[in-house]
Amino acid sequence: PQARDLAMLLASVHSDEAVAASSSSFRDRERISGGVSVLDAMSGCGVRCVRYLLQGEVSSVHANDADPNVMDTLSENLAGAHTRGATGASSVTNKDAHRLLAECYLDDARYDIVDVDSFGSENLVSATMRCVKLGGYAYLTSTDAPALCGKSPGALSANYGGARVAPNTQGANELGLRVFVGDAVRIGAAMGLRVTPVFSLFHPHGPVFRAMLRVEALKGDWDFRSVGHVGRCRACGDARVIDPGELGGAFCHRCDAIRASRDDDRSAIRAMEVSRSCLEVSGPMWLGPLHERATVEKLRSKAAEKGWIGRGEGASAEDGAKVKGQMSLEALLGSFAAESDPKLPPYHHRTDELGRSGRGLKRGIPAMKAWVEELKSRGFAACKTHVDSRGLKTNAPMEQIVDAANAVTRARDAASA
């Protein structure tokens, strides 16, 4: 239910902003002018459409699905929403999503939110962008984890602009999510649009990759450095953003520094030379924050207003039961807020990888919360990522990450002695 909860919160916040905009003297036919319209291109039985009407406070919903067998159920569910008090208009069509989006574009029909809950790696980005009002949002989905995590390189390259994710590299889920977002940002730029992720979600059950993207007119040149590559060292586990000029031969700066410091040890030099070309390169991908802090704070305020957070660990708009392995909505929004820090790098370190023999942890792996706080006390940005329960995001260099871990475990052992 998290993906639906987040969509409803965004729609509700956007509806508030639409009402505020409609009461002003400013008007722009490409922007909202008195109510939020939603196109759900792959509605299924219409659960999300019903929620848009009842909880998203939108003015209209266009529900579409290609399966003729769900039309009766979809129509009945929308009728039920109106019976329960929904005041927004609703309409239903039975078309293939590609055909529907093309017709909307040809008819100059644009929506404030276009929700495309697609299956696999079906890429509808450009078709979706053409149907979003400027200032509106595209909510995109991919369920093709084998491709986005590098296990199906052919599908990944074909569907995401020639992208590559190093298979079996640590943090592959975040890299895949960033490839997914970066592909949309790049396609938008080619269409003269500025596309910004306001929140991005990796859900382990599926797995599923989702992103809510704000679509605006691109003014001036596109910041092409917002999309790039990340390299991970096979030898020491460190990672960094790779400069475009390095793509012909990217090396690990940390291993090179270690190599230079051991110039009197010929065996160490030979070992480093063997593994010098040791960066596993992934990209192109989005390098900026996966979430927009201001929007996330609005979502948190709206969730509190609706009573969806603050009701315990299982708090959710749909029910109070916590799905195994899933963060509560309150915890997820808190994680989004922490991850939105622009000082954080576009990758994370897995704590089990940091704890491997030879990586420098002397007393085992410390508790994540204490590790994060120790890094923050040293002036670094740090947080746990929602993408991986063992994922540590920080801009601290590897030496500081290891030293902070050892400091925490020393204090832990001293306290228990």
Side-chain angles (χ1 to χ4, degrees):
Q2 290 175 327
R4 291 192 288 268
D5 289 350
L6 292 168
M8 297 315 116
L9 292 173
L10 190 284
S12 186
V13 166
H14 204 34
S15 294
D16 290 346
E17 294 171 345
V19 170
S22 67
S23 63
S24 69
S25 58
F26 176 75
R27 291 289 185 275
D28 183 337
R29 71 183 186 88
E30 292 299 321
R31 293 187 61 81
I32 298 99
S33 56
V36 167
S37 56
V38 175
L39 169 61
D40 189 344
M42 297 182 177
S43 300
C45 65
V47 171
R48 191 177 296 184
C49 294
V50 169
R51 292 194 62 188
Y52 273 124
L53 288 167
L54 291 172
Q55 298 171 331
E57 302 154 31
V58 303
S59 61
S60 66
V61 170
H62 179 168
N64 176 78
D65 200 87
D67 185 357
N69 296 316
V70 302
M71 288 299 104
D72 289 344
T73 301
L74 176 56
S75 298
E76 289 170 6
N77 286 337
L78 289 173
H82 292 293
T83 301
R84 294 163 60 189
T87 58
S90 63
S91 58
V92 176
T93 53
N94 175 209
K95 297 179 180 179
D96 174 80
H98 290 273
R99 181 180 294 276
L100 172 72
L101 293 170
E103 290 177 357
C104 288
Y105 171 65
L106 292 173
D107 294 340
D108 200 26
R110 297 188 181 184
Y111 299 82
D112 300 305
I113 299 173
V114 179
D115 189 328
V116 184
D117 191 12
S118 56
F119 179 78
S121 284
E122 189 170 14
N123 198 319
L124 290 158
V125 175
S126 59
T128 300
M129 298 296 179
R130 292 189 179 96
C131 300
V132 180
K133 292 181 182 179
L134 296 182
Y137 296 86
Y139 197 19
L140 303 179
T141 302
S142 174
T143 61
D144 194 352
L148 286 171
C149 292
K151 296 297 184 69
S152 296
L156 174 61
S157 181
N159 291 294
Y160 296 99
R164 178 185 188 276
V165 172
N168 302 316
T169 190
Q170 60 169 301
N173 293 336
E174 179 174 352
L175 300 181
L177 182 59
R178 288 181 173 279
V179 165
F180 176 62
V181 172
D183 181 65
V185 171
R186 180 188 56 79
I187 290 174
M191 298 170 64
L193 300 171
R194 179 188 178 196
V195 177
T196 307
V198 296
F199 68 77
S200 311
L201 175 66
F202 171 79
H203 201 294
H205 298 282
V208 183
F209 302 80
R210 301 184 193 273
M212 183 69 79
L213 308 165
R214 185 170 57 243
V215 180
E216 301 168 295
L218 179 63
K219 298 178 181 178
D221 293 335
W222 175 53
D223 181 13
F224 67 92
R225 290 186 177 273
S226 65
V227 172
H229 295 75
V230 166
R232 174 80 65 175
C233 180
R234 291 190 297 268
C236 72
D238 203 8
R240 64 181 176 87
V241 173
I242 296 173
D243 186 89
E246 295 182 81
L247 290 177
F251 308 113
C252 177
H253 289 165
R254 183 167 181 261
C255 283
D256 280 357
I258 295 171
R259 175 176 175 269
S261 70
R262 296 178 178 174
D263 56 6
D264 59 337
D265 184 344
R266 303 311 302 174
S267 62
I269 291 174
R270 283 195 298 273
M272 286 296 177
E273 286 175 342
V274 169
S275 62
R276 188 166 189 258
S277 299
C278 58
L279 283 190
E280 298 176 321
V281 179
S282 300
M285 66 180 72
W286 172 250
L287 299 177
L290 287 171
H291 326 285
E292 186 179 67
R293 173 69 64 85
T295 299
V296 171
E297 292 303 328
K298 290 177 183 178
L299 299 184
R300 293 173 83 176
S301 296
K302 180 60 70 172
E305 176 187 317
K306 290 178 174 291
W308 292 2
I309 62 176
R311 295 188 288 113
E313 188 65 24
S316 163
E318 294 195 344
D319 57 60
K322 185 174 186 290
V323 177
K324 184 177 180 181
Q326 176 176 290
M327 300 170 71
S328 69
L329 178 62
E330 185 166 10
L332 182 64
L333 288 170
S335 186
F336 282 3
E339 292 174 32
S340 67
D341 188 341
K343 295 190 293 294
L344 290 169
Y347 52 82
H348 65 266
H349 302 284
R350 279 182 60 100
T351 56
D352 56 341
E353 288 289 333
L354 292 169
R356 285 175 56 185
S357 176
R359 294 281 169 87
L361 268 64
K362 299 177 180 178
R363 293 177 169 86
I365 301 172
M368 177 72 80
K369 184 176 180 181
W371 201 347
V372 166
E373 291 305 315
E374 176 64 22
L375 287 166
K376 286 182 176 179
S377 73
R378 299 180 179 211
F380 300 108
C383 71
K384 178 181 176 180
T385 174
H386 84 279
V387 173
D388 190 329
S389 61
R390 297 179 179 178
L392 171 65
K393 287 185 73 69
T394 180
N395 63 345
M398 184 63 74
E399 289 75 13
Q400 285 287 343
I401 296 172
V402 171
D403 190 62
N406 290 332
V408 171
T409 51
R410 276 198 305 271
R412 177 198 64 196
D413 293 348
S416 61

